[in-house]
Coordinates of all heavy atoms in Angstrom, one line a residue:
M10 N 40.6 124.3 123.1 CA 40.0 123.1 123.7 C 40.5 121.9 122.8 O 40.5 122.0 121.6 CB 38.5 123.2 123.7 CG 37.8 122.0 124.1 SD 36.0 122.1 124.1 CE 35.7 121.5 122.5
I11 N 40.8 120.9 123.5 CA 41.1 119.6 122.7 C 40.1 118.6 123.1 O 39.9 118.3 124.3 CB 42.5 119.1 123.1 CG1 43.6 120.2 122.7 CG2 42.8 117.8 122.4 CD1 45.0 119.9 123.2
D12 N 39.4 118.0 122.1 CA 38.3 117.0 122.4 C 38.9 115.7 122.7 O 40.2 115.4 122.5 CB 37.3 117.0 121.3 CG 37.8 116.5 120.0 OD1 38.8 115.8 119.9 OD2 37.1 116.8 119.0
P13 N 38.1 114.7 123.1 CA 38.6 113.3 123.4 C 39.3 112.6 122.2 O 40.2 111.8 122.4 CB 37.4 112.6 123.8 CG 36.4 113.6 124.3 CD 36.7 114.8 123.5
E14 N 39.0 113.0 121.0 CA 39.6 112.4 119.8 C 41.0 113.1 119.5 O 41.6 112.7 118.5 CB 38.7 112.5 118.6 CG 37.5 111.5 118.6 CD 36.4 112.1 119.5 OE1 36.1 113.3 119.4 OE2 35.7 111.3 120.2
G15 N 41.3 114.1 120.2 CA 42.6 114.8 120.0 C 42.5 115.9 118.9 O 43.6 116.3 118.4
V16 N 41.3 116.3 118.6 CA 41.1 117.4 117.7 C 41.1 118.7 118.5 O 40.4 118.9 119.5 CB 39.9 117.3 116.9 CG1 39.6 118.5 116.0 CG2 39.9 116.0 116.1
G17 N 41.9 119.7 118.0 CA 41.9 121.0 118.7 C 40.8 121.9 118.1 O 40.6 121.9 116.9
H18 N 40.1 122.7 118.9 CA 39.1 123.6 118.5 C 39.3 125.0 119.0 O 39.7 125.2 120.2 CB 37.7 123.1 119.0 CG 37.3 121.8 118.5 ND1 36.6 121.6 117.4 CD2 37.5 120.6 119.0 CE1 36.4 120.3 117.2 NE2 37.0 119.7 118.2
I19 N 39.2 126.0 118.1 CA 39.3 127.4 118.5 C 37.9 128.0 118.1 O 37.6 127.9 116.9 CB 40.4 128.1 117.8 CG1 41.8 127.5 118.3 CG2 40.4 129.6 118.2 CD1 43.0 128.1 117.6
R20 N 37.2 128.6 119.0 CA 35.9 129.2 118.7 C 36.0 130.7 118.7 O 36.4 131.2 119.8 CB 34.8 128.7 119.6 CG 34.6 127.2 119.5 CD 33.4 126.8 120.4 NE 33.4 125.4 120.7 CZ 33.1 124.4 119.8 NH1 32.9 124.7 118.6 NH2 33.1 123.1 120.2
I21 N 35.7 131.3 117.7 CA 35.7 132.8 117.6 C 34.3 133.3 117.5 O 33.7 133.1 116.5 CB 36.6 133.3 116.4 CG1 38.0 132.7 116.5 CG2 36.6 134.8 116.4 CD1 38.9 133.0 115.3
I22 N 33.8 133.9 118.6 CA 32.4 134.3 118.6 C 32.3 135.8 118.6 O 31.2 136.4 118.5 CB 31.6 133.7 119.8 CG1 32.3 134.1 121.1 CG2 31.5 132.2 119.6 CD1 31.5 133.7 122.3
K23 N 33.4 136.5 118.8 CA 33.3 138.0 118.7 C 34.6 138.5 118.0 O 35.6 137.7 117.9 CB 33.2 138.6 120.1 CG 34.4 138.4 121.0 CD 34.2 139.1 122.3 CE 35.4 138.9 123.2 NZ 35.4 139.6 124.4
R24 N 34.5 139.7 117.5 CA 35.7 140.2 116.8 C 36.9 140.3 117.6 O 36.9 140.7 118.8 CB 35.3 141.6 116.3 CG 36.3 142.2 115.4 CD 35.7 143.6 114.9 NE 36.7 144.3 114.2 CZ 36.8 144.2 112.9 NH1 35.9 143.5 112.2 NH2 37.7 144.9 112.2
M25 N 38.0 139.8 117.1 CA 39.3 139.8 117.9 C 40.4 140.1 116.9 O 40.4 139.9 115.7 CB 39.5 138.5 118.6 CG 39.8 137.3 117.8 SD 40.2 135.7 118.7 CE 39.6 135.9 120.3
N26 N 41.5 140.6 117.5 CA 42.7 140.9 116.8 C 43.3 139.6 116.2 O 43.4 138.6 116.9 CB 43.7 141.6 117.8 CG 44.9 142.0 117.2 OD1 45.6 141.3 116.5 ND2 45.2 143.3 117.4
F27 N 43.8 139.7 115.0 CA 44.4 138.5 114.3 C 45.6 138.0 115.1 O 45.8 136.8 115.1 CB 44.7 138.9 112.9 CG 45.0 137.6 112.0 CD1 44.0 136.7 111.8 CD2 46.3 137.5 111.5 CE1 44.3 135.6 111.0 CE2 46.5 136.3 110.7 CZ 45.6 135.4 110.5
R28 N 46.3 138.9 115.7 CA 47.5 138.5 116.5 C 47.0 137.6 117.7 O 47.7 136.6 118.0 CB 48.2 139.7 117.1 CG 49.4 139.4 117.9 CD 50.1 140.6 118.3 NE 50.9 141.1 117.2 CZ 51.6 142.2 117.2 NH1 51.5 143.0 118.3 NH2 52.2 142.6 116.2
T29 N 45.9 137.8 118.2 CA 45.4 137.0 119.3 C 45.0 135.6 118.7 O 45.3 134.6 119.4 CB 44.1 137.6 119.9 OG1 44.5 138.9 120.4 CG2 43.6 136.8 121.1
V30 N 44.4 135.6 117.6 CA 44.1 134.3 116.9 C 45.4 133.5 116.7 O 45.4 132.3 116.9 CB 43.3 134.5 115.6 CG1 43.1 133.2 114.8 CG2 42.0 135.2 115.8
L31 N 46.4 134.2 116.2 CA 47.7 133.5 115.9 C 48.3 132.9 117.2 O 48.8 131.8 117.3 CB 48.7 134.4 115.3 CG 48.4 134.9 113.9 CD1 49.4 135.9 113.4 CD2 48.3 133.7 112.9
A32 N 48.2 133.7 118.3 CA 48.7 133.2 119.6 C 48.0 132.0 120.1 O 48.6 131.0 120.6 CB 48.6 134.3 120.6
L33 N 46.6 132.0 120.0 CA 45.8 130.8 120.4 C 46.2 129.6 119.5 O 46.3 128.5 120.0 CB 44.3 131.1 120.2 CG 43.8 132.1 121.2 CD1 42.3 132.5 120.8 CD2 43.8 131.5 122.6
F34 N 46.3 129.9 118.2 CA 46.6 128.8 117.3 C 48.0 128.2 117.6 O 48.1 127.0 117.7 CB 46.6 129.3 115.8 CG 46.9 128.3 114.8 CD1 45.8 127.6 114.2 CD2 48.2 128.0 114.4 CE1 46.1 126.6 113.3 CE2 48.4 127.0 113.4 CZ 47.4 126.3 112.9
K35 N 48.9 129.0 117.8 CA 50.3 128.5 118.2 C 50.3 127.7 119.4 O 50.9 126.6 119.4 CB 51.2 129.7 118.3 CG 52.6 129.4 118.8 CD 53.5 130.6 119.0 CE 54.8 130.2 119.6 NZ 55.6 131.4 120.0
E36 N 49.6 128.2 120.5 CA 49.6 127.4 121.7 C 48.9 126.1 121.5 O 49.4 125.1 122.0 CB 48.8 128.3 122.8 CG 48.8 127.7 124.1 CD 48.1 128.6 125.1 OE1 48.3 129.8 125.1 OE2 47.4 128.1 126.0
L37 N 47.8 126.1 120.8 CA 47.1 124.8 120.6 C 47.9 123.9 119.7 O 48.0 122.7 120.0 CB 45.7 125.1 119.9 CG 44.8 123.9 119.7 CD1 44.5 123.2 121.0 CD2 43.5 124.4 119.0
Y38 N 48.5 124.4 118.6 CA 49.3 123.6 117.8 C 50.5 122.9 118.5 O 50.7 121.7 118.4 CB 49.8 124.4 116.6 CG 50.7 123.6 115.6 CD1 50.1 122.8 114.6 CD2 52.1 123.6 115.7 CE1 50.9 122.1 113.8 CE2 52.8 122.9 114.8 CZ 52.2 122.1 113.9 OH 53.0 121.4 113.0
L39 N 51.2 123.7 119.3 CA 52.3 123.1 120.1 C 51.9 122.1 121.1 O 52.5 121.1 121.3 CB 53.1 124.3 120.7 CG 53.8 125.2 119.8 CD1 54.5 126.3 120.5 CD2 54.8 124.4 118.9
E40 N 50.7 122.3 121.7 CA 50.2 121.3 122.6 C 49.8 120.0 121.9 O 50.1 118.9 122.4 CB 48.9 121.9 123.3 CG 48.4 121.0 124.5 CD 49.4 120.8 125.6 OE1 50.2 121.7 125.9 OE2 49.3 119.7 126.2
L41 N 49.2 120.1 120.7 CA 48.8 118.9 120.0 C 50.1 118.2 119.4 O 50.0 117.0 119.3 CB 47.9 119.3 118.8 CG 46.5 119.7 119.2 CD1 45.8 120.3 118.0 CD2 45.7 118.5 119.8
R42 N 51.1 118.9 119.2 CA 52.4 118.3 118.7 C 53.0 117.4 119.8 O 53.7 116.4 119.4 CB 53.4 119.3 118.3 CG 53.1 120.1 117.1 CD 53.3 119.4 115.8 NE 54.7 118.9 115.8 CZ 55.3 118.4 114.8 NH1 54.7 118.3 113.7 NH2 56.6 118.0 114.9
K43 N 52.7 117.6 121.0 CA 53.2 116.8 122.1 C 52.6 115.4 122.2 O 53.1 114.5 122.8 CB 53.0 117.5 123.5 CG 53.8 118.8 123.6 CD 53.4 119.4 124.9 CE 54.0 120.8 125.1 NZ 53.6 121.5 126.3
R44 N 51.4 115.3 121.6 CA 50.6 114.1 121.7 C 51.2 113.0 120.8 O 51.6 113.3 119.7 CB 49.2 114.3 121.4 CG 48.5 115.2 122.4 CD 47.1 115.6 122.0 NE 46.4 116.1 123.1 CZ 45.5 115.5 123.7 NH1 45.0 114.4 123.3 NH2 44.9 116.0 124.8
P45 N 51.2 111.7 121.2 CA 51.7 110.7 120.4 C 50.8 110.2 119.3 O 51.2 109.4 118.4 CB 51.9 109.5 121.4 CG 50.9 109.8 122.5 CD 50.8 111.3 122.5
E46 N 49.6 110.7 119.2 CA 48.6 110.3 118.2 C 49.0 110.6 116.8 O 48.4 110.0 115.8 CB 47.2 110.9 118.5 CG 46.5 110.3 119.7 CD 46.8 111.2 120.9 OE1 47.1 112.4 120.8 OE2 46.7 110.6 122.0
G47 N 49.9 111.5 116.6 CA 50.2 111.9 115.2 C 50.1 113.3 114.9 O 50.4 114.2 115.7
R48 N 49.6 113.6 113.7 CA 49.5 115.0 113.2 C 48.5 115.8 113.9 O 47.4 115.3 114.1 CB 49.2 114.9 111.7 CG 50.3 114.3 110.9 CD 49.9 114.1 109.5 NE 49.5 115.4 109.0 CZ 49.0 115.6 107.8 NH1 48.9 114.7 106.9 NH2 48.6 116.9 107.4
P49 N 48.8 117.0 114.2 CA 47.7 117.9 114.8 C 46.6 118.1 113.9 O 46.7 118.2 112.6 CB 48.5 119.2 115.0 CG 49.9 118.9 115.1 CD 50.1 117.7 114.2
Y50 N 45.4 118.2 114.4 CA 44.2 118.5 113.7 C 43.5 119.7 114.4 O 43.1 119.5 115.6 CB 43.3 117.3 113.6 CG 42.1 117.4 112.7 CD1 41.4 116.2 112.4 CD2 41.6 118.6 112.2 CE1 40.2 116.3 111.6 CE2 40.5 118.6 111.4 CZ 39.8 117.5 111.1 OH 38.7 117.5 110.3
I51 N 43.3 120.8 113.7 CA 42.7 122.0 114.4 C 41.6 122.5 113.5 O 41.7 122.6 112.3 CB 43.8 123.1 114.6 CG1 44.9 122.6 115.5 CG2 43.1 124.4 115.1 CD1 46.0 123.6 115.7
I52 N 40.5 122.8 114.2 CA 39.3 123.4 113.5 C 39.1 124.7 114.2 O 39.0 124.8 115.4 CB 38.1 122.5 113.7 CG1 38.3 121.1 113.1 CG2 36.9 123.2 113.0 CD1 37.1 120.2 113.3
I53 N 39.0 125.8 113.3 CA 38.7 127.1 113.8 C 37.3 127.4 113.5 O 36.9 127.4 112.3 CB 39.6 128.2 113.2 CG1 41.1 127.9 113.6 CG2 39.2 129.6 113.6 CD1 42.1 128.9 113.0
H54 N 36.4 127.6 114.5 CA 35.0 127.8 114.3 C 34.8 129.3 114.4 O 35.2 130.0 115.4 CB 34.2 127.1 115.4 CG 34.5 125.7 115.5 ND1 33.8 124.8 114.8 CD2 35.4 125.0 116.3 CE1 34.2 123.5 115.1 NE2 35.2 123.6 116.0
V55 N 34.1 129.9 113.4 CA 33.8 131.3 113.4 C 32.3 131.5 113.2 O 31.7 130.8 112.5 CB 34.5 132.0 112.1 CG1 34.2 133.4 112.0 CG2 36.0 131.8 112.2
S56 N 31.8 132.4 114.0 CA 30.3 132.7 114.0 C 30.0 133.2 112.6 O 30.8 133.9 111.9 CB 29.9 133.7 115.1 OG 30.4 134.9 114.8
R57 N 28.8 133.0 112.2 CA 28.3 133.5 110.8 C 28.5 135.0 110.7 O 28.8 135.5 109.7 CB 26.9 133.1 110.6 CG 26.4 133.6 109.3 CD 25.4 132.8 108.5 NE 25.5 131.3 108.5 CZ 26.2 130.6 107.6 NH1 27.0 131.2 106.7 NH2 26.2 129.3 107.6
S58 N 28.2 135.7 111.8 CA 28.2 137.2 111.7 C 29.7 137.7 111.5 O 29.9 138.7 110.9 CB 27.7 137.8 113.0 OG 28.5 137.4 114.1
L59 N 30.7 136.9 111.9 CA 32.1 137.3 111.7 C 32.7 136.7 110.4 O 33.7 137.1 110.0 CB 32.9 136.9 112.9 CG 32.6 137.6 114.2 CD1 33.5 137.0 115.3 CD2 32.9 139.1 114.0
S60 N 32.0 135.7 109.8 CA 32.6 135.0 108.8 C 32.9 135.8 107.5 O 34.0 135.6 106.9 CB 31.8 133.8 108.4 OG 30.6 134.2 107.8
D61 N 32.1 136.8 107.2 CA 32.3 137.6 106.0 C 33.6 138.4 106.2 O 34.3 138.6 105.2 CB 31.1 138.5 105.7 CG 29.9 137.7 105.3 OD1 30.1 136.6 104.7 OD2 28.8 138.2 105.4
E62 N 33.8 139.0 107.3 CA 34.9 139.9 107.5 C 36.2 139.2 107.9 O 37.3 139.7 107.6 CB 34.6 141.0 108.5 CG 34.2 140.6 109.8 CD 33.7 141.7 110.7 OE1 34.6 142.3 111.4 OE2 32.6 142.1 110.7
M63 N 36.1 138.0 108.4 CA 37.3 137.3 108.9 C 37.7 136.1 108.0 O 38.8 135.7 108.0 CB 37.2 136.8 110.3 CG 37.1 137.9 111.4 SD 37.1 137.2 113.0 CE 38.7 136.6 113.2
S64 N 36.7 135.5 107.3 CA 37.0 134.2 106.7 C 38.1 134.3 105.7 O 38.8 133.3 105.5 CB 35.7 133.6 106.2 OG 35.2 134.4 105.1
E65 N 38.2 135.3 104.9 CA 39.2 135.4 103.8 C 40.6 135.3 104.5 O 41.5 134.6 104.0 CB 39.0 136.6 103.0 CG 37.9 136.5 102.0 CD 37.9 135.3 101.1 OE1 39.0 135.0 100.5 OE2 36.9 134.6 101.0
N66 N 40.8 136.1 105.5 CA 42.1 136.1 106.2 C 42.4 134.7 106.8 O 43.5 134.2 106.7 CB 42.2 137.2 107.2 CG 42.3 138.6 106.6 OD1 42.8 138.7 105.5 ND2 41.9 139.6 107.4
L67 N 41.4 134.2 107.5 CA 41.6 132.9 108.1 C 41.8 131.8 107.1 O 42.6 130.9 107.3 CB 40.4 132.5 109.0 CG 40.4 133.2 110.3 CD1 39.1 132.9 111.1 CD2 41.6 132.9 111.2
K68 N 41.1 131.8 105.9 CA 41.3 130.8 104.9 C 42.7 130.9 104.4 O 43.4 129.9 104.2 CB 40.3 131.1 103.7 CG 38.9 130.6 104.1 CD 38.0 130.9 102.9 CE 36.5 130.6 103.3 NZ 35.6 131.0 102.2
A69 N 43.2 132.1 104.1 CA 44.6 132.3 103.6 C 45.6 131.8 104.7 O 46.6 131.1 104.3 CB 44.8 133.8 103.3
F70 N 45.3 132.1 105.9 CA 46.2 131.6 107.0 C 46.2 130.1 107.1 O 47.3 129.5 107.2 CB 45.8 132.2 108.3 CG 46.5 131.7 109.5 CD1 47.8 131.9 109.7 CD2 45.8 130.9 110.4 CE1 48.5 131.3 110.8 CE2 46.5 130.3 111.5 CZ 47.8 130.6 111.7
L71 N 45.0 129.5 107.0 CA 45.0 128.0 107.1 C 45.6 127.4 105.9 O 46.2 126.3 106.0 CB 43.5 127.6 107.3 CG 42.9 128.0 108.7 CD1 41.5 127.6 108.8 CD2 43.7 127.4 109.8
M72 N 45.5 128.0 104.7 CA 46.1 127.4 103.5 C 47.6 127.5 103.7 O 48.3 126.5 103.4 CB 45.7 128.2 102.3 CG 46.3 127.7 101.0 SD 45.7 126.1 100.6 CE 44.1 126.4 100.1
F73 N 48.1 128.6 104.3 CA 49.5 128.7 104.5 C 50.0 127.6 105.5 O 51.0 126.9 105.3 CB 49.9 130.1 105.1 CG 51.2 130.2 105.6 CD1 52.3 130.4 104.8 CD2 51.5 130.1 107.0 CE1 53.6 130.5 105.3 CE2 52.8 130.3 107.5 CZ 53.8 130.5 106.6
C74 N 49.2 127.4 106.6 CA 49.5 126.4 107.6 C 49.5 125.0 107.0 O 50.4 124.2 107.3 CB 48.5 126.4 108.8 SG 48.7 127.9 109.8
S75 N 48.6 124.7 106.1 CA 48.5 123.4 105.5 C 49.7 123.1 104.6 O 50.1 121.9 104.5 CB 47.2 123.3 104.6 OG 46.1 123.4 105.4
T76 N 50.3 124.1 104.0 CA 51.4 123.9 103.1 C 52.7 123.9 103.9 O 53.7 123.3 103.4 CB 51.5 124.9 102.0 OG1 51.5 126.2 102.6 CG2 50.3 124.8 101.1
C77 N 52.8 124.5 105.0 CA 54.0 124.7 105.7 C 54.2 123.9 107.0 O 55.3 123.7 107.5 CB 54.3 126.2 106.1 SG 54.4 127.2 104.6
L78 N 53.0 123.5 107.6 CA 53.1 122.8 108.9 C 52.5 121.4 108.7 O 51.7 121.1 107.8 CB 52.2 123.5 109.9 CG 52.6 124.9 110.3 CD1 51.6 125.5 111.2 CD2 54.0 124.9 111.0
D79 N 53.0 120.5 109.6 CA 52.4 119.1 109.6 C 51.1 119.1 110.4 O 51.1 119.5 111.5 CB 53.5 118.2 110.3 CG 53.0 116.8 110.3 OD1 52.4 116.4 109.3 OD2 53.3 116.1 111.3
G80 N 50.0 118.8 109.7 CA 48.7 118.8 110.4 C 47.6 119.0 109.4 O 47.8 119.3 108.2
T81 N 46.4 119.0 109.9 CA 45.2 119.3 109.2 C 44.5 120.5 109.9 O 44.3 120.5 111.1 CB 44.2 118.0 109.2 OG1 44.9 116.9 108.7 CG2 43.0 118.3 108.4
F82 N 44.0 121.4 109.0 CA 43.5 122.6 109.5 C 42.2 123.0 108.8 O 42.2 122.9 107.5 CB 44.5 123.8 109.4 CG 45.8 123.4 109.9 CD1 46.8 123.0 109.1 CD2 46.1 123.4 111.3 CE1 48.1 122.7 109.5 CE2 47.3 123.1 111.8 CZ 48.3 122.7 110.9
E83 N 41.1 123.3 109.5 CA 39.8 123.6 108.9 C 39.3 124.9 109.4 O 39.5 125.3 110.5 CB 38.8 122.5 109.2 CG 39.0 121.2 108.5 CD 37.9 120.2 108.9 OE1 36.8 120.7 109.2 OE2 38.2 119.0 108.9
L84 N 38.4 125.5 108.6 CA 37.6 126.7 109.0 C 36.1 126.2 109.0 O 35.7 125.7 107.9 CB 37.9 127.9 108.1 CG 37.1 129.1 108.4 CD1 37.4 129.7 109.8 CD2 37.3 130.2 107.3
S85 N 35.4 126.4 110.1 CA 34.0 126.1 110.1 C 33.2 127.3 110.5 O 33.5 128.0 111.5 CB 33.9 125.0 111.2 OG 32.5 124.7 111.5
V86 N 32.1 127.5 109.8 CA 31.2 128.6 110.1 C 30.1 128.1 110.8 O 29.4 127.1 110.4 CB 30.7 129.3 108.8 CG1 29.8 130.4 109.1 CG2 31.9 129.9 108.0
V87 N 29.8 128.6 112.0 CA 28.8 128.1 112.9 C 27.6 129.1 112.9 O 27.8 130.3 112.7 CB 29.3 127.8 114.3 CG1 30.2 126.7 114.3 CG2 29.9 129.0 114.9
E88 N 26.4 128.6 113.1 CA 25.2 129.4 113.2 C 25.1 130.1 114.5 O 25.6 129.8 115.5 CB 24.0 128.5 113.1 CG 23.9 127.8 111.7 CD 23.8 128.7 110.5 OE1 23.2 129.8 110.6 OE2 24.5 128.4 109.5

């Protein structure tokens, strides 16, 4: 989902394969790159119940993206 400010959001509320997360991220990133507003901004929202088992991998992935891709990437834990 892309909000009116041009920020992309991925919400993960149940356990999913990391390959699926990557596919969603890629699709959203490429869509945001088409916009004239500038650098892509993506927030991945993870439910608290999944944060312990997924957050380390997602943090490492987002750190990699921050260093290699043009854009801003965040991980948000939701209640």
Side-chain angles (χ1 to χ4, degrees):
M10 172 181 96
I11 300 173
D12 67 19
E14 287 82 37
V16 177
H18 298 271
I19 298 173
R20 297 185 199 289
I21 302 173
I22 57 173
K23 65 180 184 174
R24 190 177 172 92
M25 68 175 20
N26 184 305
F27 193 63
R28 182 177 281 175
T29 304
V30 174
L31 292 177
L33 290 169
F34 183 89
K35 176 184 172 186
E36 186 176 320
L37 184 57
Y38 180 80
L39 292 175
E40 187 63 32
L41 289 171
R42 291 282 304 191
K43 294 177 188 175
R44 295 172 164 252
E46 289 92 25
R48 298 175 50 184
Y50 187 168
I51 297 175
I52 302 173
I53 297 179
H54 304 273
V55 179
S56 68
R57 177 144 326 269
S58 62
L59 294 174
S60 68
D61 290 337
E62 56 186 274
M63 292 185 72
S64 65
E65 288 304 313
N66 289 335
L67 282 174
K68 285 178 188 175
F70 171 68
L71 293 176
M72 181 65 73
F73 171 79
C74 291
S75 295
T76 58
C77 297
L78 298 174
D79 182 35
T81 302
F82 311 99
E83 288 183 29
L84 178 63
S85 171
V86 177
V87 293
E88 298 298 323

